[in-house]
Amino acid sequence: MARTHILGFPRIGARRELKFAQEAFWRGETPEAALRETGTTLRRRHWQLQADAGLATVAAGDFAWYDQMLGLTALLGALPKRFGFDAASLTLAQYYELARGNAAQPAMEMTKWFDTNYHYLVPELDADSTFDGGPTWFLDEVDEALALGLATRPVLIGPVTYLYLSKSHVPGFDRLTLLPKVVQAYRRILAQLRERGIEWVQIDEPVLCLDIDAEWLDAIDRAYVDLVDLVDLADAGPKVLLATYFDTAAPHAARAAALPVHGFHVDLVRAPEQLETWLQVLPANAVLSAGVIDGRNIWRADLRAVLATLAPLHAQLGDRLWIAPSCSLLHVPVSLDAEQRLDPELKSWLAFATEKLEELRTLAVALNQGKAAAATQLAASDAARESRRTSRRVVNQRVQGRLAAVTADMADRASAFDIRIERQREALQLPALPTTTIGSFPQTTAIRQTRAAYKRGEIGALDYLQRIRGEIELAVRKQEALGIDVLVHGEAERNDMVEYFGEQLCGYAFTENGWVQSYGSRCVKPPVIYGDVYRPEPMTVDTARYAQSLTDKPMKGMLTGPVTMLQWSFVRDDQPRATTARQLALAIRDEVRDLEAAGIRIIQIDEPALREGLPLRRDDWTAYLEWAVNAFRLSAAGVSDQTQIHTHMCYAEFNDILPAIAAMDADVITIETSRSAMELLEGFGEFDYPNEIGPGVYDIHSPRVPTVEAITRLLERACEVIPPERLWVNPDCGLKTRGWPETEAALANMITATRQLRGKLASQPPVTWKRVTQPAPGSARSAAAAHAHGTACDPNCAGQLSI
Ligand code: GLN
Ligand code: ZN
């Protein structure tokens, strides 16, 4: 009998119960007991769903009060010393201080979980780190499930992944020296599970899907040999299911197969081709858990196709075949039940976490009892697939035709940057070090109430328009008073930079409750791209035209780029992401051209999510960057030389994709840099980024007003690495989370610092910056320069794109 299981379930609750309970606790409105009660209720409900769907085991230990990595840090007892907490007696309140900071200590760092939009708290380790155990929460949850009489399979992130994802403030510290201690802690935990009669434990090592070097691979060998031998698991259990996900683990399959573990989970949605390799190396008694239901997307599976994959596996492996989603269901919303307003046809194509459990049940029934036993469910799956394949909602011949007619030169501006920038300077007449902002201004309560009232139908369209125009005028007046050179309208009409455009594009749908945890209590509700995307009518032109009519200064048009639109949505799985990106690019291209025709001379196309889309394995980077950069260029290149295209990126490591960023060929890029004291900018300088740059001169996350001196220091540093004639001055990112008083004070200081520096630059001989004028042939520098000038460069360089 093939059995079914899951790697984890969303913890937040169908109605975001955990979020609201957490936040009430943080505000001091409810006692810890109330929060704990919510946690217990959610776990119980989610286990019941799993049991009801006939899963062989329920997953325990996937719950987290904030984050699973923080939970593991607590379980191991490896708390950052700077907080001074005693791990064994850690309270929930202290746990939240680790996650959110307190008066004395900043929060633990947070970063993205692999290539998902989930963020985990980064363990902070050094030579003195201890792993003597922490609170008993993990085991309590296992006991909770056992007490309910449920067959329970606990879940742990593995020791090597834990260390790999951690960081140390001590330069040069080798985290792997901690491996023996960490393994010792896992050994203790496994022994505790054995005492409870647990048969299987799932240990996640998704690092096996990354390009890890020999040292880390050796660590896998050492960890598991020690772990399993020491606990003598072979006889007494628990058996270990080693789980990998998010990409192929095939390159390490042979090595993994030699470990003394008892089964392997592999992601056959992201990397179906790895199956063959795993079948070749799978030890005779080992379990293979086939991740065949997409844990990262919301589409209903084509169950008949999945069965075609599973049937021969079942014939070969029998009981040793387990069926599962590709990864934890953490990355999809909880249940379609909460969607009342979704179009019924579209809804019939979807499966959220709860519906995915049902898909697993159908697969198990069909495999174990024959397809006839699951005939109704299979027929429903077929019908959904057929309806999706042929629906007029999905396929739009005009979009397809347009896409087919796209030519390579459509992604090229008319002239090279050197020529364009001269024309733009002439047209725009901006001062040296032009000042601007990233787009949004404070989203005040009044603005949010206006939008909400309009959505609820309490105010009419005209009233809404007038109020939004009032906000735009306010923003324009304030910017003029401050003396900013390039203005923005402030984005009062947008609550979200993807949703705002998605709502106006065909091919996009929005859920009511399709929430996915982003971090802690924060959830996002990604829109769904279900069909060919097109723009039925202009989206921002009226707003931009109105804003421009209020001022003689240039008003930036403000758009979200195709890659970010794609990255922050649930996307179609029936065509390559690259194709969807091109459709989005064409829609945005139309908007860019319409803005230009309406007299907007500067247009910013934000791409903060460009880097997020990078595949986990470096081998796949070039292909991704090629289509992503091409989509951006396609969206931007339809304008004349005089029209200045900006882009904006933030909060990511960009230094390793600088050639691609240069290849986007935006006239100006504004980037977030102030938090790293311009470290990022140094990368741009070293690489000799060819176009203009606006490094963020202050952090927008804090209400603290940066001093003129602090901004001056950053600007002077910037002048050392970027020629001042190519520098812009702006904050790190949009200002929508800030209030007006601090925003005005900060921008006033930014303007003062800029004016002082302009004076200094005017009185100084030019060229104070260090620049290598003759880059060595074949260097990244020369590749970018070659690209910017339209000549060929190294074919391995992401800067050379077949556009
Ligand atoms: N234009 C957007 C804003 O200012 C950019 C936001 C972002 O980079 N995430 O809000
Ligand atoms: Zn930003």
Side-chain angles (χ1 to χ4, degrees):
M1 288 251 294
R3 56 192 267 185
T4 50
H5 76 117
I6 60 169
L7 280 66
F9 198 80
R11 52 186 81 108
I12 202 80
R15 302 271 171 194
R16 287 180 292 159
E17 292 90 330
L18 187 59
K19 168 196 176 70
F20 299 120
Q22 280 169 335
E23 290 174 355
F25 175 65
W26 297 341
R27 287 192 300 266
E29 291 167 11
T30 48
E32 181 176 321
L35 174 59
R36 287 201 175 272
E37 183 57 40
T38 304
T40 309
T41 308
L42 286 172
R43 287 192 295 270
R44 213 174 268 182
R45 189 191 299 157
H46 299 157
W47 286 330
Q48 197 58 52
L49 285 170
Q50 294 169 49
D52 289 350
L55 264 54
T57 50
V58 300
D62 57 340
F63 182 83
W65 294 108
Y66 195 95
D67 161 51
Q68 67 259 14
M69 278 292 272
L70 179 59
L72 180 54
T73 292
L75 172 64
L76 297 173
L79 310 184
K81 293 269 185 307
R82 61 191 174 91
F83 283 86
F85 296 153
D86 170 44
S89 60
L90 187 76
T91 65
L92 257 188
Q94 289 173 328
Y95 169 96
Y96 284 127
E97 284 176 39
L98 297 168
R100 305 174 68 227
N102 60 25
Q105 287 297 329
M108 287 172 71
E109 199 176 293
M110 189 165 67
T111 195
K112 283 163 90 55
W113 178 245
F114 296 85
D115 60 349
T116 74
N117 233 331
Y118 178 83
H119 301 73
Y120 71 93
L121 288 161
V122 182
E124 288 170 31
L125 303 175
D126 55 41
D128 299 330
S129 293
T130 51
F131 302 88
D132 299 332
T136 57
W137 306 340
F138 171 79
L139 289 168
D140 296 345
E141 285 162 23
V142 172
D143 289 339
E144 216 172 75
L146 292 173
L148 293 168
L150 299 167
T152 305
R153 208 276 333 279
V155 181
L156 286 165
I157 294 163
V160 179
T161 294
Y162 182 77
L163 282 180
Y164 190 85
L165 298 181
S166 68
K167 61 178 265 184
S168 176
H169 294 289
V170 183
F173 174 67
D174 176 8
R175 286 160 293 156
L176 278 176
T177 55
L178 298 172
L179 188 67
K181 282 204 249 174
V182 176
V183 169
Q184 191 73 11
Y186 276 78
R187 180 189 163 197
R188 206 172 48 231
I189 298 162
L190 294 197
Q192 286 162 325
L193 294 177
R194 176 172 51 186
E195 279 164 26
R196 286 160 171 80
I198 293 291
E199 190 194 353
W200 279 92
V201 59
Q202 168 193 321
I203 303 188
D204 294 0
E205 291 287 11
V207 286
L208 283 168
C209 296
L210 303 179
D211 300 309
I212 50 173
D213 56 27
E215 215 190 358
W216 287 94
L217 283 171
D218 289 345
I220 293 265
D221 290 346
R222 271 163 40 213
Y224 286 86
V225 168
D226 285 359
L227 190 63
V228 178
D229 286 353
L230 286 171
V231 193
D232 191 21
L233 294 173
D235 313 325
K239 299 190 181 109
V240 174
L241 178 75
L242 191 73
T244 63
Y245 40 78
F246 299 150
D247 210 325
T248 178
H252 311 308
R255 191 157 184 152
L259 297 174
V261 297
H262 312 86
F264 304 91
H265 171 85
V266 292
D267 184 336
L268 297 181
V269 174
R270 274 289 176 87
E273 70 288 351
Q274 66 176 321
L275 180 58
E276 213 175 302
T277 309
W278 281 98
L279 286 176
Q280 281 162 14
V281 300
L282 194 73
N285 296 316
V287 159
L288 184 73
S289 165
V292 286
I293 297 288
D294 196 346
R296 295 281 296 272
N297 212 334
I298 40 70
W299 302 105
R300 205 168 163 154
D302 178 354
L303 293 180
R304 218 171 279 276
V306 175
L307 278 173
T309 306
L310 291 179
L313 279 181
H314 191 215
Q316 186 181 340
L317 301 173
D319 292 354
R320 294 194 289 127
L321 173 66
W322 292 9
I323 311 164
S326 54
C327 59
S328 166
L329 297 173
L330 180 67
H331 310 288
V332 292
V334 178
S335 164
L336 270 176
D337 282 350
E339 299 304 322
Q340 301 305 328
R341 272 186 263 157
L342 211 55
D343 171 86
E345 187 186 18
L346 175 57
K347 193 171 166 178
S348 77
W349 302 341
L350 304 180
F352 292 176
T354 309
E355 292 75 31
K356 287 178 192 286
L357 298 179
E358 285 306 315
E359 294 189 316
L360 289 174
R361 181 218 294 278
T362 303
L363 290 172
V365 169
L367 276 183
N368 294 331
Q369 300 164 36
K371 282 186 190 153
T376 321
Q377 291 83 350
L378 289 176
S381 166
D382 293 344
R385 179 169 173 268
E386 195 51 20
S387 130
R388 199 176 152 208
R389 200 176 61 78
T390 53
S391 172
R392 296 232 307 274
R393 282 172 211 280
V394 174
V395 184
N396 180 303
Q397 289 309 338
R398 269 196 49 220
V399 178
Q400 300 280 339
R402 243 192 114 185
L403 213 59
V406 170
T407 52
D409 61 340
M410 284 169 70
D412 292 334
R413 296 288 295 272
S415 308
F417 172 75
D418 321 26
I419 298 169
R420 296 194 312 261
I421 198 68
E422 287 313 320
R423 298 198 169 139
Q424 292 162 17
R425 282 181 182 150
E426 179 136 344
L428 294 166
Q429 292 294 322
L430 295 170
L433 305 173
T435 52
T436 190
T437 59
I438 305 306
S440 56
F441 272 121
Q443 292 255 331
T444 56
T445 317
I447 293 179
R448 275 183 276 124
Q449 280 170 351
T450 299
R451 266 206 319 265
Y454 179 55
K455 273 214 158 149
R456 284 195 301 265
E458 288 161 19
I459 58 170
L462 196 61
D463 196 357
Y464 175 70
L465 185 70
Q466 271 161 357
R467 293 195 204 186
I468 292 295
R469 286 191 164 190
E471 297 294 344
I472 293 173
E473 181 161 10
L474 180 89
V476 170
R477 295 291 163 250
K478 285 187 191 285
Q479 293 172 85
E480 285 196 317
L482 284 160
I484 294 178
D485 301 308
V486 172
L487 309 197
V488 297
H489 76 282
E491 302 183 21
E493 77 290 7
R494 306 179 190 177
N495 68 341
D496 178 282
M497 62 189 290
V498 169
E499 187 173 284
Y500 177 75
F501 291 97
E503 279 177 343
Q504 300 186 73
L505 291 170
C506 292
Y508 259 96
F510 292 82
T511 63
E512 281 168 85
N513 287 294
W515 296 102
V516 178
Q517 188 177 19
S518 171
Y519 65 92
S521 71
R522 290 291 189 98
C523 300
V524 292
K525 195 153 63 74
V528 177
I529 304 180
Y530 63 87
D532 288 340
V533 173
Y534 64 98
R535 183 195 72 143
E537 54 187 39
M539 304 182 281
T540 62
V541 175
D542 284 346
T543 311
R545 192 189 276 125
Y546 171 72
Q548 182 65 83
S549 76
L550 299 171
T551 177
D552 293 334
K553 298 234 168 124
M555 174 63 59
K556 266 199 283 192
M558 199 57 63
L559 304 173
T560 302
V563 183
T564 299
M565 291 292 294
L566 186 81
Q567 202 54 38
W568 290 350
S569 306
F570 283 121
V571 297
R572 294 172 65 170
D573 60 354
D574 57 349
Q575 69 183 17
R577 292 169 80 82
T579 308
T580 308
R582 272 152 78 85
Q583 294 182 356
L584 285 158
L586 285 178
I588 294 156
R589 180 183 177 93
D590 293 345
E591 188 70 12
V592 168
R593 291 168 72 124
D594 284 349
L595 283 171
E596 179 184 56
I600 302 299
R601 292 170 289 164
I602 304 185
I603 300 163
Q604 178 173 316
I605 308 172
D606 290 328
E607 284 291 20
L610 183 88
R611 195 183 194 290
E612 287 175 19
L614 269 188
L616 293 176
R617 289 193 184 278
R618 253 183 202 263
D619 273 357
D620 303 327
W621 280 23
T622 312
Y624 162 76
L625 288 171
E626 180 160 326
W627 65 251
V629 170
N630 193 35
F632 178 87
R633 292 177 58 118
L634 186 58
S635 73
V639 289
S640 73
D641 284 349
Q642 281 83 350
T643 299
Q644 189 165 71
I645 297 289
H646 288 214
T647 189
H648 165 72
M649 292 181 195
C650 48
Y651 307 107
E653 172 66 58
F654 291 116
N655 283 347
D656 50 2
I657 57 163
L658 284 172
I661 293 177
M664 289 165 73
D665 200 24
D667 298 307
V668 181
I669 183 169
T670 53
I671 48 167
E672 160 262 340
T673 39
S674 72
R675 288 217 290 196
S676 62
M678 299 272 160
E679 247 171 56
L680 180 60
L681 188 66
E682 275 164 23
F684 276 76
E686 231 158 75
F687 166 75
D688 206 0
Y689 180 77
N691 301 5
E692 303 204 340
I693 310 185
V697 294
Y698 76 87
D699 179 14
I700 52 93
H701 280 96
S702 143
R704 239 193 31 231
V705 174
T707 61
V708 174
E709 293 68 42
I711 297 175
T712 304
R713 264 198 307 278
L714 289 178
L715 275 176
E716 281 174 346
R717 272 196 81 182
C719 284
E720 285 170 14
V721 286
I722 308 283
E725 65 270 22
R726 287 202 267 126
L727 265 187
W728 285 61
V729 181
N730 44 264
D732 266 351
C733 190
L735 298 161
K736 71 177 183 187
T737 56
R738 298 270 59 86
W740 270 114
E742 77 249 23
T743 296
E744 288 183 86
L747 290 175
N749 288 353
M750 183 181 97
I751 301 289
T752 306
T754 306
R755 288 189 176 145
Q756 288 173 358
L757 193 62
R758 278 180 193 155
K760 251 200 229 167
L761 287 175
S763 63
Q764 256 175 26
V767 195
T768 49
W769 38 277
K770 303 172 202 143
R771 188 180 181 196
V772 184
T773 40
Q774 281 300 316
S779 70
R781 244 193 291 283
S782 73
H787 185 80
H789 295 101
T791 54
C793 64
D794 185 320
N796 295 319
C797 146
Q800 186 182 24
L801 302 159
S802 47
I803 30 185

